[in-house]
Structures are given as structure tokens and as C-alpha cells.
Amino acid sequence: MNRLTDSTASASLSNMANTRLLLTKMMLNDGGEEELVLRSYEKDGLKMVIFYLMVVLSLGLVLLLIYWKPELECYLKKRRCALYKAEVVMIKDHYGHASVVKVDYIFLDDVSTAEGYNRHVYHDAPVDVDDTTVLVTGDSPTVRYFDFQQIRYIWDAQQYTFRKLEDLSSGTRCATIHDEFPGLSASTQAHKRLLHGLNSIVIEVKSYWRLFIEEVLNPFYIFQVCSIILWAFDEYYYYASCIFLISLISISVSLYETKRQSRTLSDMVGSLETNISVCRGGQEFEEIPNQNLVPGDLIAIPPHGCVMMCDAVLVAGTCIVNESMLTGESVPVTKTPLSHQEDEEVYTPENHKRHTLFAGTHVVQTRYYGQAKVLAVVVRTGFNTAKGELVRAILYPKPLGFKFYQDAMRFILFLAGVASLGMIYSIIIETQMGAYPGKIVLRVLDIITIVVPPALPAAMTVGTVYAQNRLKKAGIFCISPPRINFCGRINTFCFDKTGTLTEDGLDMWGVVPAQNQCFQEPIRKLPELPRSQILVCMATCHSLTLIDGELMGDPLDLIMFNSLNWSLEEPGQDTTKYDTLMPTIVKPSDKDSFMSDEVPFEVGIVRQFTFSSSMQRMSVITRTLGHNHMEIYSKGAPEKIASLCNPDTVPENFQPVLHTYTVQGLRVIALAYRPLEAKVNWHQVQRISRDKVECNLTFLGLLVMQNQLKPETTPVIRTLLEAKLRTVMVTGDMIQTAVSVSRNCGMVHPRDKVVIVNAHPPDKQQTARIEWEYAELPTDIDIVSEQDTDIDSDAGQDSRAALLPPESVVVGYRTVNVSDEGPRHHLAINGKSFAVITAHFPEMLEKICTKGTVFARMLPEQKCQLIQNLQKLDYIVGMCGDGANDCEALKAAHAGISLSEAEASVAAPFTSRISNIECVVTAMREGRAALVTSFGCFKYMALYSFIQFVSVLILYTFGANLSDFEFLYIDLVITTTIAVLMGYTGPYHKLVRKKPPGSLVKVSNLLSIIMQVLLVGGMQVSAYFYLRSQSWYEEPPPSKDLENVHSWESTVIFLVSSYMYISVAFCFSKGPPFRKPIYTNYPFLISMMFLFGFSTFLLLLPLPEIEHFLEMKELHEKSITFRLYLFGFAVAFAIMSSFMEYMIVDSSMLKPCYKAIKKRGPQNRYKVVENEIKNSDWPPVGQVTFPTTNAIHVSDIHVEMNSQSAIH
């Protein structure tokens, strides 16, 4: 029976293997934004013959189509095949973009060497699996692979599938890193390098010739080339030559800018080629180029620091690192070695970042013991590093999906449709006239170049270019210019708190000691603290270090330590301070310490557990001189520290007192300690797990700091709210502190209600649940008076004010009543509750994100999740942070602004050297101006096309056309000047409630264009009929060659239409409320006046020489009355055009119609959710929501709004 089962199972596995072997399609990175769909292809001889025949017959057009649409190569030249035989793969990404990538081979020396070098590529594979058989194809020593967007995928010959090439950053246990990587031999390293490639992040700076070819093959320039050829055949030599020259200049400028930006980005992310010392086993070290590093190498960090070229995990020694290149935060960070107590954990750079040196960061200093080296194991190289991932995000950004660009392409297709109608009309008219077929073809094709202007794409980017330059002058640097337009459509802005809304630095408020389960009187003057555990905790529990004699580290730690008047000493030179036998020493600086005959009071820091945002704490193990035991001191989030303490040591009124401080916006940190057993020695301390010592602690008290708002914060928040922009706070701080700051800065109005959302995961007693309760709201007057009292009073008064019983605390607060007129509800939620709701109440997430104003205790990945959830609700989201824990969120937002002193950082699309949130208003003002400029330029170019389209159709009717130089005057002198200078108008000085349009197919835009086109047609036809009414007018004889440019029809139409181009430019150059008034754009205004004056000169005072040059009829011979009438047509058009644009299209009377039509279309998701909330009794305050029911009202769990309700 067993044998039969085994046989059946074997047959089943064999069938599955055969099925997988024949697969022609597969999916990689399933379920994420990096999801890829692969289809395999191989050469097809017959298709190749047909393809080359098509190339010859189409004169190379097929090759051009393949260049624009790479997937056509697979359809036209190749056939589908099994994946294991693929010569190329067609890859479609998550957004539907297709690429064709060649499958290549890595040739190994022989299979035996492959077995040796590939041992650690797949670290934790089962022991009975031979890694070589996984990679090597058949019996030949080759590995099949392809590279896509700088990531390598290799063929798994055992699973018959491609998979991402892994390194030590995934699936590797910490014990493996410690035990199995003593250093790679040169041969092993060389073979690994074959597989992983060079360790370099190189952004190719293409040569000018290559850039030129790529630019010329752009559809825009192909269209230009075809147009120039067409005009040359039509004998428009001057016009064709000028357009060619202008195009050449445009290409040159574009190539220069492209290469400059490429070189700037390359310099920003590149590093100098330097050598680094790698271990070859034992104590043997060798200097090799950084680019030769591979995962698994054991490297020695230079004593005086370096710029990291790879991601590496420290295994010995300590490093002080500046990570501003990646995070935007220039505060030095201490990196400690991976400890043995983490051996059972699976290493990931995110969870073990306190041990990881990231590529692109600057190691300022290393610390080691004696002659030992600071060692690190390379875990990721090249584009797989953290820096590489950020650079890839720049090189291959996700599609922005801006509706404006989508509508622009649709409108161009519409123009092409209009052109086809004009072509049909032209063919009919010119055929009836008996024109030569060749001339008919030229005239018909010429209509396409008129209706679809080649300069349209360039004109649409003018506003963005000007805005980027203005932002740079304002200290805001942008590495993704298309996102500037997004700034103009933002309706929700998220802010980090610390360092963004509030000052980076903190002011010491005082300490509230705890003893015998009771809080003592607060101590405001910290140097007066008695020598006790709470004093030692503050003096030792930090990550401060001396660099060139200056104390550096986290600002909070600096303020805490400096307030004690203690000193810190580190033995030896800077680079030899990693001596844990002679630890860092802290001691008081008072005279008693130096003059006393007793044993000096000195404390050595033996071991440090660095701060982790996920653990919300840091700890140190210390030993006081003269003591026979060690002690552990911890500080961190009050609720976290309290949970680690012996309950018998935590004061009973812990929550009320904590709430008293946090509700005032004070920063509160809890302190705790525990003496270790005397038998615990130095060696055990170095290997012990922090979980084993960070438990059963004794609660010491609270450290209270003031975190003042930046002076610019409240005015900016007020500006945003007045502009009807939603503001959200996303912070890692406590929820009560965040709510207080949100009130102080104006995010939450004093009369508004704040509802705290407490979500609990399922436990043994209950399922998951959400409790909704009002927050207690301090009145502004009471808070100010309390803070003033704190400043003016002495320590004794402070203690009495802070430690009033809870009943007395209520006096300083008021409860919000439902009867208050017009209050709004704001939700406040912490990271734990956010995770519970995401997991157990997904249907509630939309409402939470729509009404949430304060998101506290949020982890970096949760900040990113929040941004993505807001985007799913159709919000256009901006994010502003200091770059430290906000990188993911900054990159996920439509417009992320990092506050950093660096000129540019890869942490966010925008980097502001303005260290406050005023940059947000600046970026949004510029974004609105750029967006409105893009709309204006697009509408102008569309009207320019229609004006010329109407002109040529009228002239084609009589076999006439504009002359070469008349076309030049219209296209170059008028249109180009206007299109370039129109976008020079600066942004309006303030944000207004009205939002700029985001779609070209908006009713008002369509109405504007349609009315202007009708007016253009009416005026030109009227001018033509006025010409025909003249007694001296004679209709020109029909011309078969259609070359009648010297005619009264062409002269009149040219003169009247030249005013139209100027008039519509004025109409579409709108100023307030998004741009400054038109008269502030001096170059544009002067050019408009010059063009209007010159056109008037041509009409009213024509010189025979100019008439001859432009091939006009002898207008100077006709009466001034005729010319004045024509001038009257031009003035009438300007007046009527302006009236329609400003008095009809923008009139308040039509706004209800616009809104009624807009309501018929699909609404943004957040508006639907807002309506659902508005029409329901939500949030269900005083109720509990369970997963299986909606807001069950349970009387015994109703939360009464009193002084205690918000602190449980």
C-alpha cells in the first residue's frame, strides 16, 4: 500500500513538473507593486523573413514602431515557447507597461567550482538540495538570467521558473551571519561576482550623440522631421529652414539639460572608486576595489570612516554614521554589532537597521578594542542596497496617472479627428477646382501639421520649468519635475510632528520621581537631583559620543545630559574607543567629585541597546565604580516602560499624571532600572538578550520636556485650513501629546471634538473590538495660564500644580457638549489600533482615514500605509517630514517634501532647505501656478491650431494660401514668443479655497474652447465677406497648382488672424487667484504690446517693402477706411473674446450648471465616504464595535465623558 502511494505521489509530482516545464507564462513578485508578468519567446525563421520584408516595404517605419512599442518585436519576429527555452522575455509590469529583455547566460568554469561559490546564495535551503542544481542549466555549467530595471532574475532549473536573485538580506538567520562568513576566498568571491555583478550604482550619462538619436526618434521630433520634409516639397523653404533651425536649437537645449540633470543625479548617487580591506579568512586581509565586493564578504571599516558602498551588517565594533543622504537627517547615528542573542532571528535590514551600515551613508568614526578591526558582513550590493532601491525609484518611477496628461493625449486625438474632417473638405474642394493630384496631397498633409501643432508637448512643460527654477531660488530642490503639477492639486497634507511642526530641540521641563508607588514633587532644577538611580539613568541611558572633542548624538539625549552638568569621557583616541573593558565613563562635574577623598562617583556604560522605533525604548547596562554588580537602565515611551516594570513599582495614578502632562503638549519619557545579579560578568553582558534584562524593572519616574511649536507652524496651518485643505498629523509620539499639538497649531479648532479610537486585538476573553471615546479638551485659557504659572512659579508651586488630584485637574478642562454649534469630529488613533483596524475591521478603514486628523505612535511602514490608503480614497496627498522615519511615506505621497540641510536627497521628490513648513505653501503656490500655466498654454496652442485651421480652410476654398513669411510671422514671431513667455508669470501670493482645474475635459474648459473657435470662425468669415463687398474686389481665377499666395484673401485673413493669436493669449493668461496679474510678467506684457503694435503697423501703415517681403497685396493703395474696418474686426474679436472668457465662462451664473454636470460624473471616493458619515450617526462615541456587528450599543460599556474617560 505504501509503495502504491509513493508511486502515485511520484507520478503526480512528475506530471506537475512536466506541466511547469511547458509553461510559457509566469508571474513574479505576485501581489505587490513590483508584480511582473513574463511571457517567453524564441526566434521564428518564417516570421523573421516576413519582418525584414515589411521593413523594406515600409521604408523602416516598422523599426520605428518597434522602438516606440517594444512588445511588437515579439509579435512580429518571434514565437511563444516554454520558459526554459526562452531567448527573450516580454515583461509587463503592474501598470501595464511592456518591455522586452534578452535572456543571457553566465558561463562557469566547471560545475565543481559552481558548487563551491554558490553555497551561500540560497542560505537556508534544505540540506539535501544541491544549490548548483538549482542554478545550473542541465549538465552545462551555465546560469540563465535576465536583468530588469537593475534587478537580476535567474532560472531555477529545479522549479522550472525564474526567480529574483537573493542575497543575505532575506532568509538568513543572524547566527548564520556570525558563524558562516569568516571571509571569502578570492576565487569564491570572483565566482559570486559573476552571479551578482559589480557592486556599483552607476547612472549612465549618455553621450550627446546617443541622446540626439533618442531625441530625434521621439514621436514629437519624427513629426517635426516629416513636417519639414512636407514644407520643403511644398516650396516653403524659408519656413522649413527656420523651423529646422528652431528645432535644432530646441534639441540642443534639451540635450544639454538632459545631460546636465543626468550628470547631477549621477554625481549625487555615485561614489568615488576606493579600496576596502576584505578578510580572506583568519587574520589575512586584502585591499580590493569596492566594486568587487559581493554578499558574504567580511570587510574592515577604515578607522577614520568612509562612505559605504554596500549594505553591511556590523559583527564587531561600533560605528558613528551620518545617514543624511538616505534619510535627510544629519544627526549622527550609532551602529552596534549584531549580537548573539539575536541568533535565532531572521536578519532583515529593516528590523536590524541599528546594526546595518547602508550604502551611501558616511561612517564618521569607528570604535574598536585595541588593535582589533571593526568588521561587517556584506549583505547587499549594487542596486539591491537601500540606496540602490531609492535610485531605482528615481530611474523607474511609478506612473503618476495625472488626469491632465491623459486628457491632453485624448485632446490631441480629437484634434487629429478634426484634421481628418479638414482633409476631406480640402480634397473635395481642390478636386472640384481641378488641382494637380500632387498639390492636393501636399495640401491635405499640411492640414495635419496645422491642426496638431508640433510644439504642443514643449509648450505644456514651460510652466513646470519656470516653477522648478523659482523653487530652487526659494531653497526647494526637485528631482521629479512632473510632481510640481501635483502640488497644484493637493487637497490633503500630512505632517510629521517632531522636527517638522515642532522644534528639533527640546527644552527641559523637569523630572517627576516616583517612590513607593507614588509620584514625588517635580524637580525643575536637575543639577539639584540627589545621587540616585533616576540621576544615573539620565546620565547613562543615551547614545551620545565624542567626535573631535564635541559631544554629539540625538538632540533629546543631548538636552537631557547637558541639563545634569555631568561630563562624559571616552578612553583613548577617537578611533580606539570601542573598548568595552574600559567603557565610556560619565561623572558629575561638581567640585565635590574632584576634592573628595572618597571613591569618585563614576559610572561606566558597559553595554548599549540602541533605540528602536518598533520597541519604543533604549537601554544601557552600567557599572558604578565601587559596586560589585551591574545595573540596567531603560528609557522610552511611558506606556512601554510601564509594561516592562514590576507593577508594584508603578504609581497608581500613573495614567492621570501622565495625561496631565501629555495633554498640555509636553514630551514625556519614562525611566526605569533594575540591578543585575552580582554573578553576571562582562562576557555574559555582551551576549545577553535585551528581552532577558529589560523585564521586571523598577519604575523611577517621568522625564518631562517641552517641545515648542515652530513659530511658522500655526500661520501655515491656518493658511492651509483657510484654503480648505485637509491637514493630518502623522507622528511617532504619544496620542495625547499629538492631540494637544494639533490643537495648539490649529489643526483642530477649539470647539471641535476629538474622538480617540482604541482598537483591541482579539484575546482569550473577547474578539477584536473598537472603543470610541471623547478626548478631554483643555481650554486655551487654562493651558496658557498653567504654562505661565509653570514659568513664573518656584519648584514647590510647580509640584503642587502638577500633582493635583484628578478631581482638581478637571477644573482646567472642559467637556465638549453635543449641543455646541457647528463642531466637527476629528479622530485620533495610534499605530497599534491602526494595525488592528487594518487586520480586523477593513471595512472601517475608509472612514477612519477620511475623518482621522491625528495618527500617533505610527511606525515608518504605517505612515506609508496611511498615505496609500488616502490615495485609494482619491485624495491628492502631500507629505512633509524631516526625512528620518518618513522616507517611505515621502516617496509614496504625490508630493513628498523632506526638510533637510542637504541641497538634494533621494529621500523625497522635494528637498527643502527651509527648516519649517512654509515650504509647503511655497510648493503648492508654485504647483498651482505651473498647473494653470500648463492649462493656459495647452488651450492657447489648441486655439492657435484652430485659428490657422480656419484660415487655411477659407483660403483653400479659393485655391489660395498664406505665404512662406506670413506663416513664419505667425508661427515663430507671435506663437513661439507667446508660448515661451506665457509661463513666466509667478504664483499668486496666497492660497485660496478655489482649486485649479485638474482635467482638460472640464465643462468650463470645453465651453471656453468651443466658444472661442466659433468666434474665430465667425470673425474670419465676416472679414472675408467684408472683403468681397468692396467695389474693387475681384475673385482670383482658380489655380491648379494652389500657389495663389499673393491675393487679397490671404492678405486680409493673415492680418485679421494675427490679432486673434494675440487676443486669445491675453484671454488665457489669467492671473489671480493662482497666478500674479498679467502686468507683473514684464517680458510677456512687453512682447504682447510689441506684437500688437507691429500687427497694427502692418495693417494701418503698411510699407511697400514689407508688403513685398510678406507677399501681401498692395494694402497701402487702398483707403484708410477699409483698413480701419479690418482693425475694427480685430478689436471686436479681442473684446468679444475677453468678454466670453471672463464674463461668461468664468461667471458665477454658470457655476451651478458646471456643478450639476459634474455631479453626474463619478465622485471621488472620499466624498462618497464623507456623505455616508454625514448621513449617519458616526462615529459611534460611547459604543463598542465588534467585527461581526456594526457599532453595537452596550449600556454597560458606554464611555461617559468625564475627566477619567480619556485616560483609560
Side-chain angles (χ1 to χ4, degrees):
M1 185 71 179
N2 287 337
R3 271 189 286 180
L4 179 61
T5 303
D6 292 343
S7 175
T8 305
S10 177
S12 176
L13 289 172
S14 177
N15 290 334
M16 289 176 61
N18 290 334
T19 302
R20 299 189 69 174
L21 182 64
L22 298 176
L23 284 177
T24 63
K25 176 183 175 183
M26 66 169 294
M27 188 173 292
L28 292 172
N29 312 323
D30 192 10
E33 287 191 354
E34 294 188 1
E35 179 180 281
L36 304 175
V37 177
L38 266 64
R39 290 180 174 84
S40 50
Y41 291 86
E42 64 180 356
K43 287 182 181 178
D44 185 316
L46 179 60
K47 280 189 174 183
M48 290 289 287
V49 173
I50 297 173
F51 170 76
Y52 286 119
L53 186 61
M54 291 170 62
V55 170
V56 174
L57 294 177
S58 66
L59 301 178
L61 180 62
V62 173
L63 294 175
L64 197 58
L65 293 176
I66 287 178
Y67 179 79
W68 293 337
K69 298 283 286 182
E71 60 267 34
L72 291 177
E73 179 183 1
C74 294
Y75 301 142
L76 298 177
K77 297 170 62 177
K78 304 181 185 299
R79 63 168 176 260
R80 296 287 294 272
C81 68
L83 284 165
Y84 76 94
K85 297 193 298 181
E87 296 175 354
V88 298
V89 288
M90 184 172 72
I91 303 173
K92 278 199 174 180
D93 62 20
H94 180 68
Y95 308 101
H97 296 167
S99 304
V100 177
V101 179
K102 181 184 178 182
V103 177
D104 218 329
Y105 293 84
I106 298 173
F107 296 93
L108 309 176
D109 296 339
D110 54 60
V111 175
S112 60
T113 48
E115 290 175 2
Y117 90 84
N118 204 37
R119 184 175 178 181
H120 298 300
V121 172
Y122 302 102
H123 339 288
D124 295 327
V127 293
D128 58 339
V129 176
D130 182 1
D131 292 321
T132 306
T133 63
V134 173
L135 296 177
V136 175
T137 304
D139 296 326
S140 61
T142 59
V143 177
R144 303 174 67 241
Y145 75 95
F146 66 86
D147 293 331
F148 178 69
Q149 293 184 350
Q150 309 297 341
I151 298 297
R152 180 159 293 183
Y153 296 86
I154 58 172
W155 176 250
D156 186 336
Q158 196 172 53
Q159 298 296 323
Y160 304 113
T161 183
F162 284 101
R163 62 172 170 170
K164 187 176 179 180
L165 177 61
E166 296 177 349
D167 44 41
L168 300 186
S169 65
S170 59
T172 308
R173 290 170 55 246
C174 294
T176 304
I177 293 176
H178 271 296
D179 302 336
E180 298 190 20
F181 294 97
L184 302 179
S185 66
S187 59
T188 301
Q189 185 191 62
H191 283 98
K192 274 201 168 189
R193 193 160 54 250
L194 284 175
L195 196 65
H196 290 274
L198 291 176
N199 171 41
S200 60
I201 301 176
V202 178
I203 296 180
E204 183 184 6
V205 180
K206 300 174 183 176
S207 66
Y208 278 115
W209 174 247
R210 183 174 172 185
L211 287 173
F212 174 77
I213 296 299
E214 291 179 356
E215 192 78 10
V216 168
L217 292 180
N218 185 292
F220 161 64
Y221 283 111
I222 291 294
F223 186 49
Q224 283 276 42
V225 170
C226 293
S227 300
I228 290 170
I229 294 172
L230 174 66
W231 296 326
F233 275 111
D234 206 12
E235 298 181 2
Y236 281 90
Y237 300 122
Y238 291 111
Y239 184 73
S241 300
C242 287
I243 294 296
F244 175 77
L245 182 61
I246 294 295
S247 299
L248 198 59
I249 294 172
S250 174
I251 289 177
S252 300
V253 172
S254 176
L255 295 186
Y256 172 77
E257 282 297 315
T258 302
K259 185 151 185 171
R260 185 183 65 82
Q261 292 180 9
S262 180
R263 188 182 288 114
T264 300
L265 184 59
S266 179
D267 293 342
M268 185 174 72
V269 304
S271 301
L272 295 175
E273 293 185 6
T274 57
N275 291 341
I276 193 162
S277 182
V278 298
C279 181
R280 294 304 187 198
Q283 295 300 314
E284 182 185 350
F285 284 83
E286 178 187 354
E287 291 279 332
I288 66 169
N290 265 298
Q291 64 179 9
N292 287 349
L293 292 176
V294 296
D297 267 328
L298 184 65
I299 61 175
I301 309 298
H304 294 282
C306 64
V307 175
M308 292 299 297
M309 293 284 287
C310 62
D311 287 357
V313 58
L314 275 172
V315 292
T318 301
C319 292
I320 311 297
V321 184
N322 183 339
E323 296 186 330
S324 60
M325 176 64 185
L326 294 184
T327 66
E329 186 178 32
S330 57
V331 175
V333 180
T334 301
K335 301 286 186 175
T336 58
L338 192 68
S339 58
H340 284 281
Q341 66 265 22
E342 299 169 300
D343 280 353
E344 296 307 313
E345 298 179 17
V346 174
Y347 171 79
T348 62
E350 294 78 21
N351 294 338
H352 297 87
K353 62 182 178 181
R354 62 189 180 277
H355 309 305
T356 306
L357 305 173
F358 293 103
T361 61
H362 180 210
V363 178
V364 180
Q365 197 176 92
T366 62
R367 306 256 170 112
Y368 54 89
Y369 171 59
Q371 298 302 313
K373 296 179 181 293
V374 177
L375 301 176
V377 174
V378 177
V379 292
R380 297 189 295 197
T381 58
F383 279 93
N384 291 313
T385 61
K387 177 183 175 182
E389 289 175 0
L390 292 174
V391 174
R392 285 200 306 117
I394 297 172
L395 296 177
Y396 312 104
K398 69 177 184 179
L400 297 176
F402 198 27
K403 205 169 188 304
F404 172 65
Y405 299 116
Q406 299 168 2
D407 291 343
M409 295 308 298
R410 295 192 188 103
F411 198 83
I412 289 174
L413 292 176
F414 168 73
L415 292 178
V418 172
S420 63
L421 295 177
M423 291 164 67
I424 294 171
Y425 173 80
S426 178
I427 291 173
I428 294 172
I429 291 296
E430 290 165 358
T431 302
Q432 290 176 350
M433 293 172 60
Y436 297 122
K439 285 295 181 180
I440 294 177
V441 171
L442 290 176
R443 287 288 176 269
V444 167
L445 293 177
D446 195 32
I447 288 178
I448 299 176
T449 67
I450 291 171
V451 178
V452 185
L456 182 59
M460 288 170 59
T461 62
V462 168
T464 304
V465 172
Y466 285 130
Q468 186 178 11
N469 290 332
R470 287 194 295 263
L471 284 171
K472 188 174 181 180
K473 291 178 182 177
I476 303 172
F477 302 90
C478 177
I479 61 174
S480 180
R483 290 183 185 263
I484 293 175
N485 279 340
F486 270 100
C487 290
R489 290 289 298 164
I490 287 174
N491 50 26
T492 298
F493 224 104
C494 300
F495 296 93
D496 179 38
K497 183 181 77 68
T498 306
T500 304
L501 297 175
T502 60
E503 297 285 359
D504 281 317
L506 298 167
D507 296 324
M508 181 60 69
W509 185 90
V511 175
V512 186
Q515 191 173 0
N516 300 326
Q517 279 193 290
C518 293
F519 282 110
Q520 307 300 305
E521 293 184 352
I523 299 175
R524 297 294 299 273
K525 297 179 180 179
L526 297 193
E528 297 179 0
L529 274 172
R531 290 182 181 177
S532 59
Q533 280 81 15
I534 195 169
L535 177 65
V536 176
C537 183
M538 295 172 61
T540 59
C541 196
H542 52 70
S543 57
L544 301 178
T545 184
L546 288 171
I547 299 179
D548 296 328
E550 182 180 357
L551 199 61
M552 300 189 71
D554 186 271
L556 185 149
D557 290 342
L558 278 170
I559 292 167
M560 178 182 70
F561 186 79
N562 289 332
S563 66
L564 301 177
N565 195 24
W566 279 43
S567 60
L568 181 145
E569 295 180 359
E570 292 178 324
Q573 298 178 353
D574 279 348
T575 55
T576 61
K577 287 175 185 170
Y578 185 71
D579 185 347
T580 47
L581 294 177
M582 296 178 64
T584 297
I585 303 295
V586 293
K587 59 185 179 181
S589 300
D590 59 320
K591 61 181 179 180
D592 294 338
S593 301
F594 298 98
M595 302 179 67
S596 175
D597 295 331
E598 300 177 3
V599 176
F601 187 64
E602 296 182 355
V603 184
I605 302 173
V606 180
R607 175 79 190 277
Q608 184 184 96
F609 300 106
T610 54
F611 175 78
S612 167
S613 58
S614 60
M615 295 184 176
Q616 299 180 334
R617 66 186 185 273
M618 77 160 293
S619 300
V620 293
I621 296 177
T622 68
R623 184 162 189 168
T624 304
L625 188 63
H627 290 193
N628 64 351
H629 66 276
M630 298 184 190
E631 295 168 315
I632 179 169
Y633 291 94
S634 298
K635 81 172 193 295
E639 62 270 27
K640 173 59 69 174
I641 295 297
S643 69
L644 299 174
C645 290
N646 185 336
D648 294 336
T649 67
V650 180
E652 294 179 356
N653 60 341
F654 171 77
Q655 287 287 357
V657 171
L658 175 63
H659 182 72
T660 302
Y661 292 109
T662 57
V663 80
Q664 298 178 52
L666 297 171
R667 180 83 177 270
V668 182
I669 295 167
L671 309 174
Y673 99 109
R674 177 166 73 90
L676 302 181
E677 297 179 7
K679 64 180 181 181
V680 176
N681 59 34
W682 181 87
H683 292 286
Q684 291 173 325
V685 164
Q686 299 308 311
R687 297 183 65 89
I688 198 167
S689 167
R690 69 186 298 174
D691 296 333
K692 294 179 181 178
V693 290
E694 290 178 334
C695 60
N696 200 29
L697 302 175
T698 298
F699 188 82
L700 293 176
L702 301 175
L703 174 67
V704 184
M705 294 183 169
Q706 291 177 319
N707 192 196
Q708 300 293 335
L709 284 173
K710 292 181 179 180
E712 301 85 2
T713 296
T714 302
V716 169
I717 295 298
R718 185 187 304 119
T719 298
L720 297 177
L721 293 176
E722 287 175 351
K724 293 189 70 174
L725 293 164
R726 182 184 170 196
T727 56
V728 177
M729 184 190 299
V730 192
T731 178
D733 210 339
M734 286 190 63
I735 193 166
Q736 290 90 350
T737 303
V739 169
S740 175
V741 172
S742 70
R743 286 194 175 278
N744 292 342
C745 72
M747 278 189 185
V748 178
H749 192 272
R751 296 178 60 248
D752 288 349
K753 303 175 182 179
V754 176
V755 178
I756 294 180
V757 183
N758 287 321
H760 304 277
D763 51 34
K764 294 181 180 179
Q765 285 78 29
Q766 286 184 303
T767 61
R769 63 197 184 281
I770 305 176
E771 298 174 358
W772 313 79
E773 52 190 39
Y774 280 125
E776 198 172 49
L777 308 178
T779 61
D780 296 336
I781 297 175
D782 291 328
I783 279 190
V784 172
S785 63
E786 276 188 37
Q787 291 176 346
D788 290 343
T789 302
D790 289 343
I791 294 171
D792 297 335
S793 62
D794 58 24
Q797 290 172 321
D798 292 336
S799 64
R800 288 190 293 274
L803 292 174
L804 289 172
E807 292 78 15
S808 301
V809 174
V810 181
V811 176
Y813 301 90
R814 63 180 173 85
T815 301
V816 173
N817 297 317
V818 180
S819 61
D820 283 353
E821 293 182 5
R824 294 177 57 234
H825 281 99
H826 299 263
L827 300 185
I829 184 172
N830 62 27
K832 287 185 178 179
S833 297
F834 186 80
V836 171
I837 290 173
T838 301
H840 301 283
F841 300 87
E843 73 285 351
M844 197 73 67
L845 198 58
E846 286 190 340
K847 291 183 178 180
I848 297 288
C849 292
T850 301
K851 299 300 290 183
T853 299
V854 175
F855 294 83
R857 287 287 190 240
M858 297 287 280
L859 299 175
E861 57 270 22
Q862 288 181 318
K863 293 183 180 182
C864 182
Q865 291 169 13
L866 173 64
I867 296 294
Q868 292 170 342
N869 283 319
L870 290 171
Q871 290 172 333
K872 289 178 183 177
L873 287 167
D874 299 325
Y875 283 108
I876 307 297
V877 187
M879 172 73 191
C880 184
D882 58 7
N885 292 318
D886 309 315
C887 289
E888 293 181 50
L890 290 170
K891 291 177 66 61
H894 290 103
I897 306 177
S898 172
L899 304 184
S900 173
E901 294 179 1
E903 179 171 309
S905 168
V906 293
F910 295 87
T911 302
S912 173
R913 300 177 78 172
I914 306 168
S915 60
N916 58 68
I917 63 172
E918 284 183 336
C919 61
V920 168
V921 177
T922 303
M924 292 186 66
R925 286 171 45 240
E926 288 290 357
R928 290 184 172 193
L931 187 58
V932 170
T933 298
S934 297
F935 271 95
C937 286
F938 188 92
K939 288 170 66 176
Y940 173 73
M941 295 304 291
L943 258 295
Y944 150 70
S945 300
F946 277 116
I947 292 170
Q948 202 166 84
F949 177 64
V950 171
S951 298
V952 296
L953 285 188
I954 292 174
L955 295 177
Y956 284 1
T957 305
F958 306 100
N961 201 357
L962 297 175
S963 70
D964 206 346
F965 288 103
E966 286 173 339
F967 271 122
L968 276 175
Y969 176 70
I970 292 171
D971 290 351
L972 297 186
V973 179
I974 297 180
T975 305
T976 303
T977 303
I978 287 174
V980 169
L981 297 178
M982 183 184 285
Y984 194 69
T985 307
Y988 197 50
H989 66 275
K990 69 175 184 178
L991 290 177
V992 295
R993 291 192 172 192
K994 184 180 178 181
K995 304 290 190 303
S999 171
L1000 276 173
V1001 295
K1002 190 178 177 183
V1003 179
S1004 57
N1005 285 333
L1006 295 179
L1007 179 63
S1008 170
I1009 292 174
I1010 292 171
M1011 292 178 67
Q1012 294 286 355
V1013 169
L1014 292 176
L1015 182 62
V1016 164
M1019 279 296 175
Q1020 290 197 30
V1021 170
S1022 298
Y1024 168 71
F1025 280 113
Y1026 174 69
L1027 170 66
R1028 289 182 65 92
S1029 68
Q1030 300 303 305
S1031 58
W1032 45 262
Y1033 172 77
E1034 294 180 2
E1035 187 170 332
S1039 172
K1040 291 188 176 182
D1041 60 4
L1042 305 177
E1043 291 295 340
N1044 190 6
V1045 296
H1046 188 67
S1047 65
W1048 280 110
E1049 289 83 1
S1050 61
T1051 300
V1052 169
I1053 293 297
F1054 163 69
L1055 290 171
V1056 172
S1057 66
S1058 64
Y1059 285 99
M1060 293 179 175
Y1061 299 106
I1062 302 170
S1063 298
V1064 295
F1066 175 81
C1067 291
F1068 294 152
S1069 297
K1070 296 181 180 179
F1074 305 118
R1075 302 198 307 170
K1076 290 180 179 179
I1078 189 173
Y1079 58 76
T1080 62
N1081 187 348
Y1082 298 119
F1084 180 67
L1085 192 64
I1086 292 171
S1087 67
M1088 291 274 287
M1089 293 172 62
F1090 171 79
L1091 292 172
F1092 181 83
F1094 187 75
S1095 295
T1096 303
F1097 174 73
L1098 288 178
L1099 176 60
L1100 299 181
L1101 301 171
L1103 297 177
E1105 293 81 6
I1106 295 180
E1107 290 175 341
H1108 176 72
F1109 179 77
L1110 293 174
E1111 298 185 60
M1112 293 167 53
K1113 293 292 282 187
E1114 294 73 18
L1115 190 62
H1116 67 280
E1117 297 178 357
K1118 303 303 177 185
S1119 68
I1120 189 66
T1121 304
F1122 174 69
R1123 285 175 273 165
L1124 286 174
Y1125 266 103
L1126 291 181
F1127 183 71
F1129 279 110
V1131 172
F1133 176 84
I1135 294 172
M1136 295 175 67
S1137 175
S1138 299
F1139 178 82
M1140 288 193 305
E1141 190 67 23
Y1142 291 98
M1143 305 303 293
I1144 298 179
V1145 175
D1146 292 343
S1147 71
S1148 56
M1149 293 185 297
L1150 289 180
K1151 287 184 179 178
C1153 299
Y1154 297 155
K1155 290 182 179 179
I1157 296 172
K1158 186 179 179 180
K1159 285 182 179 178
R1160 296 181 182 179
Q1163 276 192 313
N1164 290 324
R1165 180 60 190 164
Y1166 71 86
K1167 291 185 178 179
V1168 175
V1169 176
E1170 284 177 347
N1171 289 332
E1172 290 176 359
I1173 294 173
K1174 187 177 180 180
N1175 297 326
S1176 64
D1177 186 16
W1178 198 93
V1181 183
Q1183 304 178 28
V1184 176
T1185 303
F1186 295 95
T1188 54
T1189 58
N1190 291 324
I1192 301 177
H1193 187 84
V1194 186
S1195 59
D1196 61 337
I1197 57 172
H1198 182 78
V1199 183
E1200 295 292 340
M1201 285 309 303
N1202 54 36
S1203 62
Q1204 300 292 324
S1205 63
I1207 58 179
H1208 292 293

